[in-house]
Amino acid sequence: MELNKLFKKSELIPAIIQDSTTNQVLMLAYMNHASLEKTLETGETWFWSRSRGELWHKGETSGHIQRVVEMYSDCDDDTLLIKVEQVGVACHTGEYSCFFNEILTK
């Protein structure tokens, strides 16, 4: 796949990270061209930190890495879905997923 087509609309694209076994959504982060290349090169997730303005390797300090199992782009080629094998927890709060704040359930 030609990676440049993913960045035609923006320098950053959202990446939805999902547990490859349970399909639970773990987190959402942003990727630029360099972080996507590093992810493909290493087989582990790399993102662009909008707050720090730098690349970050998920789990670099915590050891809670994400090994990439599958990766897809959406129909518009402006969002990624990355299925991972999560080592440890995904959220910096210590929760397995970043999505634990319940707003509404039916």
Side-chain angles (χ1 to χ4, degrees), residues 14-65:
I16 302 163
I17 310 303
Q18 185 178 39
D19 185 299
S20 65
T21 303
T22 67
N23 289 326
Q24 181 178 9
V25 175
L26 301 177
M27 57 182 281
L28 178 129
Y30 290 87
M31 290 185 146
N32 64 6
H33 199 281
S35 64
L36 179 55
E37 284 181 332
K38 292 279 281 182
T39 297
L40 293 170
E41 174 187 313
T42 65
E44 296 179 356
T45 55
W46 287 76
F47 303 106
W48 178 257
S49 171
R50 296 180 301 163
S51 60
R52 294 188 313 266
E54 64 185 18
L55 289 177
W56 61 282
H57 176 220
K58 179 66 177 161
E60 183 174 6
T61 56
S62 68
H64 299 165
I65 61 169

Side-chain angles (χ1 to χ4, degrees), residues 24-28 58 90-93 95-101:
Q24 181 178 9
V25 175
L26 301 177
M27 57 182 281
L28 178 129
K58 179 66 177 161
C91 188
H92 72 279
T93 66
E95 295 288 331
Y96 185 68
S97 167
C98 292
F99 295 95
F100 58 88
N101 292 314

Side-chain angles (χ1 to χ4, degrees), residues 73-87:
S73 64
D74 73 342
C75 57
D76 295 322
D77 286 326
D78 61 4
T79 303
L80 295 174
L81 173 64
I82 304 175
K83 294 189 171 197
V84 301
E85 175 188 310
Q86 178 67 49
V87 176

